[in-house]
Amino acid sequence: MHSKIRPYYLVFCSLNRNFAQKMAGLYIHIPFCKSRCIYCGFYSTTAFELRQQYTDALCCEIADRASGSIGTIYLGGGTPSQLTLSQLHQIFDTIYKYNKVEKDAEVTIEVNPDDVTEELAAALPTLSVNRVSMGAQTFDDERLAFLHRRHTSRQVGEAIDRLRKAGISNISIDLMYGFPEENLTSWQQDISTALTLDVEHLSAYCLMIEEGTPLYRMQIPPIDEELERTMYELLMDRLEAAGYEHYEISNWGLSPRPLQRERELRSYRSRHNSSYWNQTPYIGIGAAAHSYDGQCCRRWNISDIRRYIDGIRQGTCVYEEEWLDEDTRYNDCVTVALRTCEGINLKNLSARHRQYCLENAQHFIDDGLLKLSHDNHQLSLTRRGLFISDMIMSDLMLV
């Protein structure tokens, strides 16, 4: 079993193969950060003098890789809120000029709490932004300083108030747990503070010590596994009691509820991120951005802002691509679909992969770690299975 990875190419941006016509998600990577958090492994830069050049390059790539129909737009980073309003307008104007954006598209921007001025909040609806994702991480100011976060805990609530006044009705915050010397009492306090903010969506992650980050070089020991499990279980209990739907291992959205004067239900799941877990096609714009055609090809732009800008200026885009065989696509399905509450749709697997999956899943089903739907079409983790999801996924994958 092999997937075919090709080296960096200099290719004309307009050579978009079959990424066009059927895109569901559009991701724009904004790599600028005033300062780097000690845990972050994403590509970022503090070269603010390149913001306008980078914005121009983004707009060129957006135009050259125009899609058929867009259901979600996501500006991530980095810190997209570090762009000027003029630059944000330039990006969104280009997106809408060259793409057919659905009327009910989910349009998300990531922000830092301290960037959310009244001016920025008021501008977001004019950009068609209807969802904001904010990195709160913790409400302990000492831990925020430890992480090298720029904001204070007070600024999170202030930012949310400004966004509400501007008409943003879908807000997500990120939380972290598993800090050095953190205990259950302080984690309880973080959860309680988050719930008082009454946001529509929460993402929560255990602090990961990734190689190459400043945190890794600090040689801090990881959190005790039993404490990590207890913290995660506590989070699940508190959010479920507060009316949140646990729809993906690290993500919770307010349970679907009727819209005013309408019969349909509104879900607060992240539609854009669900594209990744459901293997829906998406296109990534900018340095280090990833794309997937939903079938057999993944590609990612070079993680070098200067080379990215220079390439676009010369009419080329520097990227790497990977062509996936059937077994690799099966493994991808296991590792992303099993993260969701629906799990793996067995009907989407070939007969060979379905048989292999069920044979390897049977002992987990017998042990109450995996469950089959009543019609035997969906295979998903149980609550107990969530705690050892990595091991279960590994056992279901082909080697």
Side-chain angles (χ1 to χ4, degrees), residues 250-348:
S250 300
N251 287 272
W252 289 259
L254 279 179
S255 296
R257 55 193 59 190
L259 294 169
Q260 290 184 341
R261 298 188 300 276
E262 295 183 25
R263 293 182 179 179
E264 63 178 299
L265 295 177
R266 176 172 185 177
S267 172
Y268 287 101
R269 296 184 181 190
S270 169
R271 286 168 51 193
H272 183 85
N273 288 340
S274 294
S275 296
Y276 305 145
W277 305 319
N278 298 332
Q279 296 187 304
T280 302
Y282 54 88
I283 189 167
I285 302 292
H290 286 235
S291 304
Y292 177 55
D293 69 354
Q295 297 176 0
C296 59
C297 183
R298 284 195 293 251
R299 61 174 274 184
W300 51 97
N301 291 346
I302 187 172
S303 300
D304 184 318
I305 188 170
R306 287 180 169 81
R307 286 190 64 190
Y308 171 79
I309 292 171
D310 289 344
I312 295 293
R313 280 176 171 172
Q314 296 168 20
T316 62
C317 187
V318 186
Y319 70 86
E320 192 172 5
E321 65 183 17
E322 178 181 20
W323 292 86
L324 312 177
D325 60 22
E326 290 185 0
D327 288 348
T328 303
R329 294 202 297 276
Y330 164 75
N331 284 346
D332 282 355
C333 176
V334 169
T335 56
V336 294
L338 209 56
R339 294 184 60 88
T340 67
C341 61
E342 287 83 11
I344 301 170
N345 186 339
L346 298 171
K347 293 187 294 184
N348 292 338

Side-chain angles (χ1 to χ4, degrees), residues 101-278:
V101 180
E102 300 296 328
K103 290 183 179 179
D104 66 342
E106 177 193 84
V107 184
T108 305
I109 185 171
E110 290 182 352
V111 300
N112 262 34
D114 55 317
D115 288 336
V116 183
T117 61
E118 291 183 1
E119 182 184 20
L120 175 63
L124 293 180
T126 70
L127 296 167
S128 301
V129 170
N130 51 33
R131 183 175 184 273
V132 172
S133 180
M134 185 185 307
Q137 315 311 356
T138 177
F139 299 99
D140 183 304
D141 284 337
E142 289 187 5
R143 291 200 180 98
L144 287 171
F146 166 74
L147 295 174
H148 290 192
R149 297 291 296 177
R150 292 187 282 116
H151 71 276
T152 64
S153 57
R154 178 177 53 83
Q155 288 175 311
V156 177
E158 292 174 346
I160 290 174
D161 287 343
R162 290 182 182 127
L163 292 169
R164 295 297 192 204
K165 289 176 182 177
I168 302 296
S169 60
N170 193 352
I171 298 175
S172 176
I173 61 172
D174 291 348
L175 295 177
M176 276 189 174
Y177 59 96
F179 294 97
E181 301 180 6
E182 184 180 16
N183 55 41
L184 286 177
T185 300
S186 59
W187 178 225
Q188 281 267 31
Q189 292 171 345
D190 265 359
I191 298 172
S192 295
T193 302
L195 290 175
T196 65
L197 298 173
D198 197 28
V199 294
E200 288 72 26
H201 188 277
L202 292 101
S203 300
Y205 309 93
C206 186
L207 181 64
M208 300 295 293
I209 303 176
E210 295 189 38
E211 189 171 353
T213 63
L215 184 61
Y216 179 83
R217 294 191 289 273
M218 294 167 67
Q219 297 184 329
I220 294 174
I223 186 176
D224 175 76
E225 288 186 6
E226 192 58 37
L227 178 58
E228 177 185 343
R229 177 190 175 106
T230 304
M231 286 179 162
Y232 184 54
E233 192 160 26
L234 175 63
L235 178 68
M236 288 193 290
D237 290 340
R238 294 287 306 275
L239 294 186
E240 180 181 352
Y244 287 86
E245 174 194 27
H246 192 187
Y247 71 98
E248 193 270 345
I249 285 178
S250 300
N251 287 272
W252 289 259
L254 279 179
S255 296
R257 55 193 59 190
L259 294 169
Q260 290 184 341
R261 298 188 300 276
E262 295 183 25
R263 293 182 179 179
E264 63 178 299
L265 295 177
R266 176 172 185 177
S267 172
Y268 287 101
R269 296 184 181 190
S270 169
R271 286 168 51 193
H272 183 85
N273 288 340
S274 294
S275 296
Y276 305 145
W277 305 319
N278 298 332

